[in-house]
Amino acid sequence: MADDRTLADILRSQGISRRGFLKFCATTASMMALSPAMVPKIAEALENAKRPSVIWLSFQECTGCTESLTRSHAPTIEKLIFDVISLDHHHTLMAASGHAVDEAMQEAMKENYGKYLLIVDGSIPVGNPAYSTIGGVSNLEMLKDAAKGAAAIVSVGTCAAFGGLPYAKPNPTGAVPVTEIIKDKPIINVPGCPPIPVVITGVLAQFLTFGKLPEMDELGRPMAFFGKNIHDRCYRRPFYERGEFAETFDDEGAKKGWCLFKLGCKGPVTYNACATTKWNEGTSWPVESGHGCLGCSQPNFWDMGGFYNALSTPTIDIAKTAAVGLAAGAAIGVAAGALNRSKKAKAAREHETVTVNDLEKGAKS
Amino acid sequence: MNGKSSCSEETACSDELYTGNVTPILNEIRHALKKLLEEGESTIIDLRALPMGPGEEQQLESLLGIGEVTANIDAMGPSTVNETLFAGVWLITHRNTEDAILGKFIEITRYPSILESQTVDMHSALKALPDLLTENG
C-alpha cells in the first residue's frame, strides 16, 4: 500500500549504513548495466525514490518467470528491490486467496491510480477468452482493467512480450502478447524463458531510480540488457572466427569447448545478457554448460526451425532446402532433415505417433 | 612493485578457454593509471560487464596479484578491497550475506571511496557517543 518513505529511509530502518547503501548502488549500477561512474547519480535518485506500488498479473504462463526471480539465493539485490517496492498483488506469491485477492487488487489500483507499475507474465488468449480465466474474469478483461490506471507496463517473459510458447504454431488459444492489446501505455518487454532475474529487477531498479522506463530497442526491450547479441559477447566466439565447431555433443570439438553454431546455437540472432550476466549467481550459462543458445528472448523462438538445426540450414521449402544443401555440400544432413520433417508432417496429418527411432530411420534412408 | 603473481599472460592459470579479453583489460588499466597520475581522474571497471571465459577472471586476478593493502567491509554482506601489486589499482569484490558475489570491480584510484566514513553514519555515531558516555560515566 502507499508508503511515503524513500528507499534510503527503508534501508536505513533495516539498519543498513550509508556505506552499505553505496555498495547497494554500485551493484545496482552493475545490474542495470550502467557505467560505474553513474553510481553517485543513482545514489542521489534512489535516496529520494518513493516506494512504488506494483501489481503483477499472471496469464497463460508456467510460473517459470516468478520462479526465476524468487529462486535466487536470498538475500540478493533482487530481494532488496522487492523489499522496497510494494508488491500489492501477485497471484502466486500473495497470502490471500479467493475474493480477498480481487479486493486487494482493486484497492491497490484505486489507491495508486495512474502511478502503479503493472507487471504481466503470460500471453493472453483472444481466440476464446474463456481459455484462461481467473475468478471467472478473462485474462483479456483483467489486463484491460488493470492497464487503465498503470503508469507503465512491464511484460516479463517471452509469453507476455512476444506470445511465447502459447503463441507457437498452431497457436490453439489465439494467444497474443500484451502489446497486441494495450496501445496507450508505455510498455517494456523483458523477454526470456525465463528472463534473467537481475534483468527483471534491473528494469524495476531503473524505474525506481529515474521514474521512467529505460531506453529500448525496436522490440521494446531494455537496451542495457538486450543491446548486444549473445554471439558477439560469447567467450566461444574466437572458435567461430577460426572455424572450429563441435559437430556432435560428445566429439573432440565439444570437449575442447569449440563453437556450438553447427549444433543449432541461436546466439548470432539472439539479443540477451546471458553471456555476461550468466545464471545462478553468475555461475554459468547454457553455452558455458555445453548447449547452444535456444534464442528464448527472441520472438517466435519456438518456431525458428528446430533447436538443433544450424541457423544456416534453410527450413522453409523442402525441395529448395535439399537443392541448397546439395549446392553447399551438405546434402546428407539437409536431405535427412527434409525427410524427418516430411515424416513429421505426414504423422501429424494421419495422427500417427512418430518416435525417435522413426526419425533416425528417416535420417539413414 | 613487490610480490609475485602466480601465472603469466602467456600461460593461463588453467587449461580453460581463452577469449583474449585479459590483455585489453590490462591495457585499459594501464591507460586509466596514466590518466590518474596526469589528470587525477579515477576510473572504475565493472568486471561483470565484460565477457569472460571460464577461468579468465581468475587469470586476470592472478596477474594483478595482491599488494600491500587489504580491507574487509561488513555492510550488507562482506566486501573485500585489495590493492593489487600495482599501486593505485584496486580489486573490489562485493558479496551478499550468503557469500554470493554481487559485483566485482577494478578501481584505479588513490583509495576506493567505499572505504571513506560517510557523513550520515558519522552523524549517527555522534548521537550514539553521549549514550555510551552516560552508560559508562
Side-chain angles (χ1 to χ4, degrees), chain A residues 123-136:
Chain A
S123 60
I124 303 97
V126 294
N128 180 342
Y131 283 138
S132 182
T133 64
I134 299 162

Side-chain angles (χ1 to χ4, degrees), chain B residues 29-96:
Chain B
I29 292 170
R30 183 172 62 84
H31 282 278
L33 192 55
K34 193 161 179 270
K35 189 190 266 186
L36 176 66
L37 283 169
E38 291 175 359
E39 301 167 32
E41 193 180 321
S42 300
T43 303
I44 305 174
I45 298 168
D46 182 355
L47 288 180
R48 283 294 166 94
L50 301 160
M52 293 270 197
E56 270 193 328
E57 199 171 283
Q58 293 90 322
Q59 186 195 355
L60 177 68
E61 285 178 30
S62 186
L63 286 166
L64 291 173
I66 296 174
E68 294 173 338
V69 184
T70 295
N72 296 312
I73 297 169
D74 182 15
M76 292 173 69
S79 295
T80 53
V81 180
N82 288 315
E83 191 177 32
T84 67
L85 292 173
F86 304 88
V89 181
W90 299 76
L91 177 68
I92 297 159
T93 307
H94 292 310
R95 295 171 187 271
N96 66 18

Side-chain angles (χ1 to χ4, degrees), chain A residues 85-107:
Chain A
I85 65 170
S86 176
L87 189 57
D88 291 327
H89 183 90
H90 189 304
H91 291 148
T92 313
L93 300 180
M94 64 197 306
S97 61
H99 293 298
V101 171
D102 187 46
E103 284 164 18
M105 185 169 86
Q106 293 300 331
E107 196 182 330

Side-chain angles (χ1 to χ4, degrees), chain A residues 329-341:
Chain A
I332 298 168
V334 173
L339 279 169
N340 289 348
R341 281 189 294 282

Side-chain angles (χ1 to χ4, degrees), chain A residues 201-242:
Chain A
T201 44
V203 169
L204 298 183
Q206 189 117 2
F207 187 75
L208 269 173
T209 307
F210 302 111
K212 61 180 183 183
L213 295 177
E215 189 191 353
M216 296 179 238
D217 69 4
E218 72 280 3
L219 292 173
R221 303 177 293 194
M223 286 292 282
F225 299 105
F226 296 90
K228 297 265 170 60
N229 74 32
I230 294 285
H231 188 58
D232 285 345
R233 313 213 95 191
C234 180
Y235 74 96
R236 296 195 191 213
R237 175 72 186 252
F239 295 109
Y240 175 87
E241 304 291 347
R242 294 198 292 267

